[in-house]
Every structure is written in structure tokens, then in C-alpha cells.
Amino acid sequence: MTMDTATLTPDTAPPPTAPPAPYDVEAVRRDFPILGETVHGKPVVYLDTGASAQKPRQVLDAMERLQTQAYANVHRGTYLFSAESTRLYEAARETVQAFINAGSEREVVFTANATDGINLVAQTWARANIGAGDAVLITELEHHANIVPWQMLRDAVGCELRVVPVTEDGALDMAAFDRLLDETVKLVAVSHCSNVLGTIQPVAEITRRAHAVGARVLIDGSQAVVHGPVDVRDIDCDFYAFTGHKLYGPTGIGVLYGKLDLLEAMPPWKGGGDMIESVSFDKTVYAAPPARFEAGTPPIVEAIGLAAAIAYMRGLGMDAIAAHEGDLLRYAMQRLSSVEGLTIHGTATPKAAVISFSMAGIHPQDLSMLLDRSGLCLRAGHHCAQPLMEILGVTGTTRASFGLYNTRADVDALVSALDRAREILA
Amino acid sequence: MTDTLTLDDLSETFELLDDWEERYKYIIDLGRKLEPLPEADMVEANKVRGCMSQVWLTSEPIPSDGAARLHFRADSDAHIVKGLIAILLILFNDRTPTEIAAIDAEAELNRLGLDQHISPNRRNGVTAMIQRIKAEAAQAA
């Protein structure tokens, strides 16, 4: 099952009582030390997982264990520490491969984050395959990370950048997509799940239609891989980029999945150690992928932390996480709709547990400052998606994004803090 | 009304309001009483950069005996920010460029327990506003 299916679709009539829990969320919360902290004397209610997720003890321990017991640089020494670090680093690659069901661990390139992965494709594959007269197709839903690299490509090679509009409820306008998609389009770059609206795009269908006209497909999956199972071979996309820190892993580590034949044909981007087969002053032979794209000492500790995060999520079960968050989404949509003057942006389904909203007459900045005093962590502003804000006709929104550790009590805390804020600001 | 208030008055009021909600309400109220900025001045050139909300600021020299004093008007689309502006203007308004340059805004806001709003990583624009006021004063000096 992939996130194309409507597993996260909220029902029209949310259940008044919680269904049987897919896992013991209170036990899960105890794995996240930071959730026991207080903010301004109040228990923290963390609703900004879409910006960055908190880390379970298992991730912190894996990173500390490596650095206290067997740390050394990878792919270099024959001594035990280096061999052990290398084994764990490469095992992390296999963990990622299994997590997204890539065909081979060689299709998994470790990057710094999703932005880094998208830029890698823009600077290598795209520069070699896209020129004047060609087009790149993106959407109005994109994060700046999936807009700016293509604008830079456009300015460098003179290609066209086309933008698929969104419908009023936050879905992609697929009729417009079909109109904009023709043989001049060489790449479709689309987010799997909107970081602002939580709406999930039909990426398998998009990929099928793109391939039919000979275009390649890159998916920005940072918001999608955290909410449920993703299968890159089922989607059949050519590239899939995501970051580790939204996935309960550390910062500084991301993943670029690429089909092996594409990676093998791609020139390197950054040059340096570890990405070469042999070097002389006359001629350097580049290593095969993924090493070709991992110049310099990689984020070793972070890759191992990411693998621990994936192991943690798979321990709970990706379907169980999707079910838990699906319940939270239904409950939150129901509770928030009772808040006076509140408008939810992006009600199209399927939708992940990411809710952007505005409150009549209340600036998102005021709101987030008041929510902060109640111990709530929410992001206010343009969410690195200024074009989408313009389309929504707002300067910014307030966003509640839920993770596997959130509870219905967190939703209740949000709703009562919103009511309180409305009284203060009214 | 706000221009007759001093920081000492504010500090006393804040001590009476021990609950953060009451303090925020009071700050919002200060913003509501701020001298209005003419709509014609709400233009790009008067925008203070580095704010999550929109903030506009104008300054005009007013004649006085001796050095000219600077009169500021400002507005924001966010209520709490507008209140913080009102507090900044209590500090800075109708003073000479030399006086403005000498004011340690951070220390003054500290007295009100508002220092958390002016750390540079808080992107509510208070820091940007102080920099803008100081720059205008430097230019007028």
C-alpha cells in the first residue's frame, strides 16, 4: 500500500470516541525525552513535526553508541573501528533501501537533506538532459526547495518552467496538469505531500502520465515518508528525495533515491575524496553510484541515526503510524471546525496530519506568540512556500503538524489555547 | 496617551500584572492607542525588513530649541507587534539623534521582562525595528 491510496482520508463523520489504538502512544511518548519538558511552565505540546521531528531515545543512543564504542572514518581504514563504522554506515543504506523498497542499495544516495538531493539532480542529471526548448513542470504546492533549484536551472540552460495550479481545496488540478504536460517536458518535479496543506498528490498516476510523454519524475517526499508507507518502485518515480530530521532522525542527513541506470549515467556534482575510483593529475576515474555522489567524509553518525529512526518507525509499523495519525487528523479537523472564525486551508483528500489554518482578524504571528505561552509549538508564517501563500490569499498561516507521538489531548490543548487566544486578541 | 507614559510607568504596571495573559492584553492595548500611521505611508519604502508581520515606520524631524528631535510613526498588521512598537516609541520618540543613539533598548526591555522578544533569532521584528530607528537617527544626526 502506498500513500496514493486514501488511507489517510478523513471520514465525514469522525468517531466521537477514540478507536482502538494502533500502538501504545503513551509508551511511545516516553521514548522521546524532550516530550517530558515544560515550556513557560507548561507541558510542551509539540505540533511542529512537519518542520522537524523530535528524536526517540533509540536514535540518540545509536548515535552515542557509535561515537563511544566504534567510531572512525568510513571506507578507509582496515582497523576494527573503521570496519565497524563502515559496516554500520552501509547497513544504514540497506535500511533505507528496504524502507522505500528501492531495487538496490546502490540506488540510495546519502545527502545532507532533501534540498541537497533535489539540487544534486538539478545540477547533474538536469544539466545533462535539459536545455533550451525543454520544460520542467512543477506545481503551486511546492516548497521553495522544489522551486528555486529549477529556477536556477532555467536561468542556466534557458529551459521553461511550468507550474501546475492547485484547486481551491488544495488538490492538484490534474486537468491543468494534462494540458501542461507535453513532449517538451523533460522533468516533472512534485511534492508527494504538501508541507503547508498536508494534501497528498497522486504521484503514481502523475508518474505514469509523465512517462507516457517521455518525461522523468522527481518527487519531494520529505513530508510523505513520515506519515505512512512509501514504495518507490510502486510509484515508479525516477528520483525521490527526503530528509532525515523530519523522519525522527538527526539533521544533516537526507536521501536521494534514483533509478540505477539514471544514477550510472549522471556526472558527479561535488568532487573530492570517496567519490573516485582513481586519481592522477592527468585523469580521474569516478566511482560508481552511490559513492560518485558522496564526495568527502559523509554524515556517518547521522546515517546511523537515520537507520535507527527508520527501525523505530518500522517497529511501530508504518501502517500503524498512518492509522494513528489518521485518527488524530479526523479528530483535529472535527475539533478545529468548532473554533469560531477558524478557516482550514487544504481540505482535499487524501490528506496527511498537517493542518494549516487562519483565524479571522488574527495575525498568525500574534497567534503563535500566544500559543507559545501555553506551551504549544506551532509554526506561523509562509512555511517556505510563498507562492502558495499568495494563491491562498494570505500572508501566512498557522500550521499544526502531527507526528507519531501526538495524542488527542494535544488537539484538545490546541483548541482551548486557540479559544483563549481569540478572547485575548478579540 | 502613550506618549505621556514612561518606561518607569510601564515597569510598574507590568509588576502589577503577574499573569502573562494580562501583560499581553496590556501590550495589545498600548498598540491600539498608538498614534495612527497615515495609510499613504504604508508603502514598501517604509517597511521594516526582517519581520514576520508587516511593519511600517516613518520618521520626521520636529523643530525644538536646540537639536531637532525625531518623531516616529509606525504600524503593524499584528497586534502584539504593534504593542511592542508602542513600547519602543515610548523609549525613542521625540528625542534627539544623540539621545536615540545612547538608548540601550535591550536593557530597557529587559526591565519589562520583554527581553525574550528582542533576541535576534526571534523573528518578530523588534530587533529590526530598533536597528531601523537607530539608522534613521544616525542619518538625521
Side-chain angles (χ1 to χ4, degrees):
Chain A
M1 180 170 33
T2 76
M3 295 199 49
D4 264 60
T5 56
T7 49
L8 302 181
T9 310
D11 297 326
T12 43
T17 52
Y23 50 81
D24 181 355
V25 68
E26 288 308 325
V28 162
R29 289 178 67 80
R30 286 193 291 276
D31 289 335
F32 290 78
I34 206 168
L35 297 180
E37 291 293 309
T38 56
V39 172
H40 303 301
K42 310 230 166 61
V44 64
V45 177
Y46 191 74
L47 295 176
D48 201 17
T49 296
S52 200
Q54 300 299 349
K55 324 300 174 197
R57 175 63 71 195
Q58 288 80 345
V59 168
L60 307 175
D61 284 350
M63 295 171 75
E64 185 178 326
R65 204 162 46 240
L66 177 75
Q67 292 180 98
T68 52
Q69 295 174 12
Y71 175 80
N73 211 332
V74 294
H75 306 148
R76 283 160 176 82
T78 49
Y79 53 91
L80 186 68
F81 283 1
S82 178
E84 181 62 4
S85 287
T86 303
R87 185 185 69 78
L88 289 169
Y89 180 72
E90 291 305 327
R93 203 186 300 280
E94 287 168 25
T95 301
V96 172
Q97 176 214 337
F99 179 58
I100 58 174
N101 196 29
S104 151
E105 75 282 357
R106 295 182 59 207
E107 295 181 320
V108 174
V109 179
F110 283 128
T111 60
N113 45 44
T115 300
D116 191 36
I118 295 169
N119 276 278
L120 194 163
V121 175
Q123 293 299 321
T124 59
W125 179 85
R127 279 188 175 243
N129 290 282
I130 297 175
D134 295 331
V136 173
L137 188 54
I138 61 172
T139 85
E140 286 182 344
L141 283 171
E142 302 313 312
H143 186 283
H144 294 163
N146 204 23
I147 300 174
V148 182
W150 309 117
Q151 288 175 325
M152 290 165 69
L153 176 77
R154 176 193 62 192
D155 296 344
V157 307
C159 66
E160 187 193 343
L161 189 58
R162 296 183 191 166
V163 186
V164 181
V166 290
T167 59
E168 211 163 283
D169 60 353
L172 271 192
D173 181 342
M174 289 303 286
F177 173 79
D178 286 338
R179 278 195 303 278
L180 292 166
L181 183 70
D182 58 32
E183 275 75 21
T184 62
V185 175
K186 292 292 176 280
L187 179 74
V188 175
V190 59
S191 67
H192 194 167
C193 172
S194 161
N195 71 308
V196 177
L197 307 177
T199 51
I200 293 165
Q201 278 47 259
V203 285
E205 182 57 27
I206 287 171
T207 302
R208 198 184 58 75
R209 293 187 199 179
H211 284 173
V213 300
R216 297 293 185 178
V217 175
L218 175 141
I219 295 170
D220 171 3
S222 277
Q223 295 290 335
V225 286
V226 303
H227 293 298
V230 167
D231 182 332
V232 291
R233 276 193 289 180
D234 189 47
I235 297 167
D236 197 29
C237 56
D238 301 288
F239 299 103
Y240 195 100
F242 61 95
T243 196
H245 71 93
K246 296 183 202 293
L247 197 67
Y248 310 97
T251 55
I253 181 81
V255 169
L256 175 71
Y257 158 83
K259 283 183 177 165
L260 194 56
D261 57 329
L262 290 176
L263 291 180
E264 279 174 338
M266 271 160 57
W269 179 23
K270 297 168 183 165
D274 230 25
M275 52 78 75
I276 45 81
E277 200 59 59
S278 65
V279 177
S280 75
F281 286 110
D282 296 326
K283 183 174 167 54
T284 290
V285 178
Y286 303 124
R292 186 186 300 165
F293 306 105
E294 294 180 2
T297 295
I300 304 162
V301 181
E302 289 75 11
I304 285 152
L306 174 63
I310 290 172
Y312 184 84
M313 293 180 79
R314 298 191 89 184
L316 296 177
M318 294 310 292
D319 287 317
I321 291 169
H324 173 72
E325 292 184 4
D327 173 66
L328 282 179
L329 176 65
R330 279 187 293 275
Y331 185 69
M333 293 290 272
Q334 181 201 41
R335 293 282 280 128
L336 287 171
S337 63
S338 72
V339 176
E340 200 183 314
L342 188 143
T343 305
I344 293 170
H345 303 290
T347 51
T349 57
K351 178 178 165 81
V354 175
I355 305 176
S356 257
F357 57 89
S358 301
M359 287 184 75
I362 297 180
H363 195 283
Q365 182 176 359
D366 283 336
L367 191 56
S368 66
M369 284 166 88
L370 293 181
L371 295 179
D372 169 53
R373 297 302 316 203
S374 302
L376 284 109
C377 309
L378 277 83
R379 184 164 174 191
H382 57 61
H383 313 292
C384 297
Q386 288 176 3
L388 182 57
M389 293 296 114
E390 209 175 311
I391 290 149
L392 295 174
V394 295
T395 54
T397 70
T398 307
R399 181 186 69 179
S401 55
F402 298 87
L404 57 83
Y405 38 58
N406 287 116
T407 63
R408 285 186 167 209
D410 292 338
V411 176
D412 294 337
L414 172 62
V415 169
S416 62
L418 287 173
D419 283 333
R420 200 75 209 96
R422 201 170 39 76
E423 281 166 31
I424 294 169
L425 292 164
Chain B
M1 134 166 209
T2 51
D3 49 8
T4 60
L5 269 178
T6 66
L7 242 286
D8 290 330
D9 298 335
L10 271 190
S11 179
E12 274 173 37
T13 311
F14 266 59
E15 269 169 42
L16 294 173
L17 306 171
D18 47 8
D19 164 339
W20 67 269
E21 270 188 27
E22 294 304 316
R23 286 185 190 178
Y24 269 122
K25 279 185 187 166
Y26 184 71
I27 292 172
I28 292 165
D29 216 36
L30 288 175
R32 294 211 168 106
K33 291 170 184 157
L34 195 61
E35 178 188 356
L37 180 75
E39 208 156 313
D41 283 335
M42 294 183 191
V43 293
E44 200 56 39
N46 293 330
K47 263 198 189 169
V48 180
R49 299 199 179 280
C51 305
M52 227 167 78
S53 49
Q54 302 195 77
V55 173
W56 302 269
L57 179 84
T58 64
S59 69
E60 98 184 276
I62 47 167
S64 67
D65 24 298
R69 294 168 182 278
L70 284 182
H71 185 69
F72 295 99
R73 290 186 188 87
D75 201 351
S76 171
D77 57 350
H79 292 306
I80 297 173
V81 173
K82 197 169 169 181
L84 294 171
I85 292 173
I87 293 172
L88 285 182
L89 292 195
I90 290 169
L91 270 179
F92 288 110
N93 225 353
D94 302 327
R95 298 185 190 278
T96 66
T98 320
E99 286 171 340
I100 290 170
I103 292 170
D104 183 350
E106 195 167 340
E108 296 290 337
L109 293 181
N110 249 325
R111 284 169 57 198
L112 301 178
L114 290 175
D115 43 309
Q116 56 152 320
H117 289 302
I118 52 164
S119 82
N121 54 16
R122 285 258 170 176
R123 289 202 270 172
N124 58 29
V126 175
T127 309
M129 224 145 32
I130 294 169
Q131 282 167 354
R132 175 76 171 257
I133 288 171
K134 295 237 172 185
E136 303 259 337
Q139 227 171 23

